[in-house]
Amino acid sequence: MSFQIFEQLLKERQTTVYRVAKSTGIPASTFTDWKNGRSVPKTEKLRKIAAYFDISLDDLLGVGDRAAPKAKKKLPIIGEIRAGSPIITNETLLGYEQAEVDNEEEYFYLKVCGDSMKNIGMVNGSLVLFHKQQYAEDGEIVACLVGGDSATVKRFRRTGKAIYLFPENEDYEPIRLSTDDFESGEARILGVAREVKIKL
């Protein structure tokens, strides 16, 4: 299964990994295993996913490689993330920054405000490159919408149905959520951090 295609389907259908998992009976953690090559999806499960999205198995598998070669692309720098997705407006757009990515539509920069992640180099004013996706592997740094309209950058941890967003600064407390929050849309992962740039 092509995860680029899977992620695009999630975006187009405005759904989440948790909803797909609930509908197909495939654990959400299994998608992470597939993404990272720890296991290979069986045809039976791929058919369930294809049926969920009402597409053919070939379309899900991405027969015929359409991936563009990586090149320097100009990406938006966002000051705020609201309304469930990285929407670019005159109020939120702070400018542009270049990055070597395959598809500029799948990435965005977020300017960090505050010092809750300072211990890993995400200091106030630094730029963080995010890949747009609605799921994360345990331990990854995510941009997460919490409470419907407020985004935060934290380290993602999951224990059973409990999900924690951990800061990288001992002065801050972790945010506790549950898988129910993600299924209801109260919380949503908007992207996973790929790179940090500090402007001097």
Side-chain angles (χ1 to χ4, degrees):
M1 179 171 69
S2 167
F3 262 84
Q4 187 174 11
I5 292 172
F6 180 66
E7 289 162 2
Q8 187 64 34
L9 286 166
L10 290 174
K11 182 180 175 183
E12 289 173 0
R13 307 300 170 84
Q14 296 185 330
T15 189
T16 67
V17 171
Y18 297 96
R19 288 174 185 163
V20 176
K22 192 173 183 179
S23 180
T24 59
I26 302 169
S29 59
T30 301
F31 289 90
T32 303
D33 289 340
W34 291 344
K35 176 196 171 191
N36 292 288
R38 288 195 290 264
S39 66
V40 178
K42 293 181 180 178
T43 303
E44 178 187 349
K45 290 182 178 178
L46 290 174
R47 289 190 191 281
K48 286 182 180 180
I49 297 168
Y52 176 88
F53 288 111
D54 194 26
I55 61 173
S56 71
L57 189 57
D58 283 350
D59 285 342
L60 181 64
L61 292 172
V63 175
D65 187 11
R66 295 173 291 177
K70 288 187 178 181
K72 287 282 186 181
K73 304 286 178 65
K74 191 168 72 169
L75 305 176
I77 301 169
I78 303 171
E80 288 183 86
I81 298 178
R82 296 190 181 277
S85 60
I87 296 173
I88 315 300
T89 68
N90 289 335
E91 289 75 32
T92 62
L93 183 62
L94 300 179
Y96 293 89
E97 181 72 20
Q98 293 210 334
E100 192 174 284
V101 297
D102 49 4
N103 182 357
E104 65 267 36
E105 296 297 321
E106 294 298 317
Y107 293 85
F108 65 95
Y109 275 104
L110 186 63
K111 186 173 182 179
V112 172
C113 293
D115 60 356
S116 68
M117 300 296 285
K118 70 174 186 177
N119 292 350
I120 57 169
M122 289 186 183
V123 297
N124 188 48
S126 59
L127 300 178
V128 183
L129 176 65
F130 286 91
H131 179 250
K132 295 178 185 177
Q133 59 188 68
Q134 295 179 2
Y135 59 91
E137 186 176 1
D138 200 52
E140 287 185 317
I141 305 298
V142 301
C144 186
L145 202 72
V146 180
D149 68 351
S150 178
T152 185
V153 178
K154 296 288 184 290
R155 189 177 296 281
F156 179 88
R157 296 284 187 192
R158 179 174 178 175
T159 305
K161 290 195 69 176
I163 292 174
Y164 295 90
L165 301 178
F166 280 97
E168 290 290 343
N169 181 340
E170 55 279 358
D171 293 335
Y172 292 81
E173 294 294 323
I175 299 169
R176 189 184 190 282
L177 301 167
S178 74
T179 54
D180 292 338
D181 293 317
F182 287 86
E183 289 174 6
S184 69
E186 259 311 289
R188 180 182 298 177
I189 292 173
L190 302 174
V192 172
R194 297 292 184 229
E195 180 183 298
V196 180
K197 289 186 177 182
I198 299 174
K199 293 290 187 180
L200 299 176

